[in-house]
Amino acid sequence: MSTPVQDGRWRPTLDRPALVALLLGLAGVGYRLVLTLLTLPASNSDEATFGLAAMHIAAGRDRPVFLYGQHYMGMLESYLAAPLIGLAGPSWPVLRLPLLALYALFVWLMYRLTRRLCSPWFAVLVVGLLALGSERVVRDQLTVVGGRPEVKPAVVAMLLIAVALAERRVRHRWLATGLFGLAAGLALWSDWLIVPYLAVAGLLLVWAAPRDLVGWPGVLLVAGFVLGVSPMIKDNLVAPDGQDSLSVFREISTKAGPAPPWSDRLRGGLLEGVPLASGLCPMDGCARWQQWFGLLYPLLLVAAALLALVAYRRAGRRADRVRAVAQLALVAGAALTLLAYVRSPLAATDPLGNSRYLSVLQISLPAVLWPIWLAAARAWRGVAGTAGRLGGAVAAAALVALTATALAATGFFVADAGSLRAEERHTRGLADAVRGAGLREVYGDYWTCNRLIFNTGEAVVCGVLDGSLTPGQNRYPAYWKRVGRADRPGYVLAVGSSAERGLRRLLGDRADAAVVAEVGGYRVYHPETAVRPWR
């Protein structure tokens, strides 16, 4: 919003909805800033791998394109964190700060998009819901595990650019098309799961501003896309057969074995995945009373599509038609994403662990909730009949229930934060114990190794073993080689694990004498001679 002042210039001001949205957005950012400083949610070895890559980038040692050991998850988050780690050194809050900025950008862009397509006060509601955060939602927003934190603001920015181009509100149109292509390329490199939204955003651009795709603007669009996706293109050109991104992603998506029935996949996707991704449930699963939004979600998509079609047919101005088509794009993006998810067996076999792949549905939140808001607003204004007022009351109750459920899930996460903090303290204590024992090369399991390396700033390196004391998933081979060259490596193993039992059998009577520390459910062993049973 802008208002004229006495000197004739225009200065930005905030109307009441914008001010309320700003306060809610600041509350959401402040909440996540506290969590970032406290390292909540707790770190893990996947996140540590991104942190180690950021350390290597900052030191000029490496320029990774994909996550170490993979060929499909882009490393943009590591590049964003590298300058901060280079200045302040490795730590979890420093690693996560760029993601906090991406969250703030996403909320601001969502407010702009929702206000443009729908209404100001509805945009306030959307910002308020995005400010809340269960553990599942916050984990997707603040933990550096690739993809989702950066692709969501990229897609929303693309939609805003397409709408602005269609409404002739852009002064530098060539620059806008170039930025659209750059955002699409970076998003595709970062996470392939965003492809449905990239497709609908591209179709919206083609429909809304076809003249801006001819000539130099089209060239800049393609150039921006190629620049954004160039790391992936370069890597795939030199990748061995079967190791290119498409082949690896196809292999992951088509695991062998009997496919679960559609009923199980729909149940896992709708009753568990959608509520979890929407921030309505704790990490350990959804209670029956928290699953209602998952049942309602497909109906809301249908209602939103019908509303957009009706609005398009009734639109007298081009701007109204553009907004209706943009809403259809949001509906299509959510529907395609949900369909791709329920097609996967993982929707049935592990809905809790894989609901994170639905976090991009937040992009479509304005379209999904718009039918409920309209019904409630019509009843509030008294322009509906008896049936309309009854439906409006039900819609208003649904919005209240959605907000209350999300608020309750946020509260549960805050209440359980103590146990997560204890886990993080144990991992740091373990790192201190390993260093205090004078160890610099150790073996451990996957979920111990890279987190231990990051917590020690690579002062300690760790080689990954599986439960049978054979080589496991070593994402960065240099660590495994260094530990393999050590004359007397240590072991960091969970108490009572199969790996620890195997080591104690190998050590025999020397097992207890080899223990140099025990911290947080782990024992640190330093045998007198190297123990490598796989050789």
Side-chain angles (χ1 to χ4, degrees):
M1 299 293 293
S2 300
T3 58
V5 294
Q6 291 181 354
D7 57 9
R9 293 176 297 174
W10 287 76
R11 292 179 181 173
T13 60
L14 297 177
D15 59 13
R16 190 174 300 174
L19 179 59
V20 176
L22 176 62
L23 294 176
L24 291 173
L26 289 175
V29 172
Y31 166 53
R32 286 159 178 80
L33 176 60
V34 172
L35 297 179
T36 299
L37 296 177
L38 295 176
T39 315
L40 289 172
S43 60
N44 60 52
S45 274
D46 280 345
E47 185 176 19
T49 306
F50 281 87
L52 293 169
M55 292 173 57
H56 300 164
I57 294 167
R61 293 163 47 191
D62 200 359
R63 293 292 184 269
V65 173
F66 296 112
L67 179 63
Y68 293 141
Q70 294 181 184
H71 288 275
Y72 63 91
M73 180 66 72
M75 299 294 283
L76 181 58
E77 293 174 12
S78 293
Y79 283 93
L80 293 175
L84 297 179
I85 285 182
L87 289 173
S91 73
W92 299 108
V94 169
L95 180 64
R96 293 179 176 184
L97 277 177
L99 270 61
L100 180 64
L102 287 172
Y103 163 78
L105 177 62
F106 174 62
V107 172
W108 177 66
L109 292 173
M110 283 292 287
Y111 172 77
R112 294 288 304 275
L113 181 67
T114 307
R115 181 163 181 148
R116 175 63 58 183
L117 301 184
C118 303
S119 71
W121 283 110
F122 179 58
V124 173
L125 172 67
V126 170
V127 170
L129 291 173
L130 293 176
L132 300 174
S134 66
E135 183 180 355
R136 172 73 277 162
V137 167
V138 171
R139 186 175 292 277
D140 288 326
Q141 293 169 342
L142 295 184
T143 55
V144 185
V145 291
R148 294 173 293 278
E150 63 266 31
V151 299
K152 290 190 290 186
V155 168
V156 180
M158 291 165 62
L159 294 171
L160 280 168
I161 290 173
V163 172
L165 286 171
E167 295 179 351
R168 302 293 173 181
R169 293 184 291 104
V170 180
R171 178 180 300 177
H172 304 289
R173 305 178 69 81
W174 292 16
L175 177 60
T177 56
L179 289 176
F180 186 101
L182 180 62
L186 288 173
L188 183 61
W189 167 41
S190 294
D191 193 346
W192 283 41
L193 294 175
I194 203 63
V195 166
Y197 279 99
L198 295 182
V200 297
L203 290 175
L204 174 63
L205 179 66
V206 171
W207 178 88
R211 295 181 181 178
D212 290 298
L213 306 182
V214 179
W216 281 109
V219 172
L220 288 177
L221 175 71
V222 174
F225 177 79
V226 172
L227 177 63
V229 81
S230 58
M232 184 173 71
I233 295 174
K234 179 181 178 181
D235 186 86
N236 284 333
L237 288 176
V238 299
D241 291 340
Q243 293 299 311
D244 59 281
S245 301
L246 185 59
S247 298
V248 173
F249 194 77
R250 187 187 300 117
E251 181 182 355
I252 293 173
S253 304
T254 56
K255 291 294 185 181
W262 270 98
S263 58
D264 291 346
R265 285 182 276 174
L266 286 172
R267 186 181 302 111
L270 293 178
L271 300 187
E272 293 285 352
V274 170
L276 274 165
S278 302
L280 306 181
C281 310
M283 285 284 288
D284 56 359
C286 299
R288 289 291 181 90
W289 65 273
Q290 296 167 321
Q291 295 178 344
W292 64 272
F293 187 65
L295 287 173
L296 192 60
Y297 199 85
L299 301 178
L300 291 175
L301 288 178
V302 173
L306 293 176
L307 276 176
L309 290 172
V310 171
Y312 181 84
R313 294 193 62 181
R314 293 179 178 178
R317 300 181 305 160
R318 174 173 174 78
D320 295 332
R321 293 195 297 272
V322 169
R323 293 166 190 171
V325 175
Q327 290 177 350
L328 278 175
L330 290 175
V331 173
L336 292 173
T337 299
L338 189 57
L339 178 61
Y341 180 73
V342 298
R343 286 183 69 249
S344 170
L346 297 175
T349 57
D350 188 15
L352 301 184
N354 293 284
S355 62
R356 63 187 185 274
Y357 297 128
L358 292 177
S359 69
V360 294
L361 293 180
Q362 285 185 329
I363 298 171
S364 295
L365 191 61
V368 172
L369 297 184
W370 185 231
I372 307 179
W373 177 271
L374 281 182
R378 282 176 58 84
W380 178 265
R381 291 194 299 264
V383 297
T386 303
R389 287 195 296 271
L390 178 60
V394 173
L399 290 176
V400 171
L402 179 66
T403 305
T405 307
L407 184 60
T410 303
F412 290 149
F413 173 44
V414 173
D416 292 340
S419 59
L420 297 175
R421 287 286 296 152
E423 176 189 346
E424 196 64 33
R425 287 194 298 271
H426 289 158
T427 62
R428 294 176 183 177
L430 179 63
D432 293 339
V434 172
R435 280 189 296 188
L439 293 171
R440 294 297 178 265
E441 294 87 18
V442 298
Y443 290 106
D445 62 54
Y446 176 80
W447 294 110
T448 300
C449 270
N450 280 7
R451 183 157 60 164
L452 175 63
I453 299 170
F454 187 77
N455 277 332
T456 62
E458 287 190 309
V460 176
V461 297
C462 184
V464 178
L465 300 176
D466 61 18
S468 302
L469 293 182
T470 56
Q473 186 181 13
N474 286 277
R475 291 189 176 275
Y476 193 62
Y479 295 147
W480 175 261
K481 293 177 181 178
R482 176 176 159 183
V483 180
R485 292 192 298 266
D487 294 331
R488 190 183 164 202
Y491 279 80
V492 181
L493 303 172
V495 175
S497 64
S498 59
E500 194 212 18
R501 293 195 300 270
L503 179 65
R504 292 186 70 86
R505 284 195 299 269
L506 289 172
L507 294 176
D509 296 339
R510 300 172 296 158
D512 289 334
V515 177
V516 294
E518 183 170 344
V519 180
Y522 283 82
R523 288 197 182 107
V524 181
Y525 290 84
H526 195 194
E528 294 180 354
T529 58
V531 179
R532 296 185 176 96
W534 58 92
R535 289 187 176 178

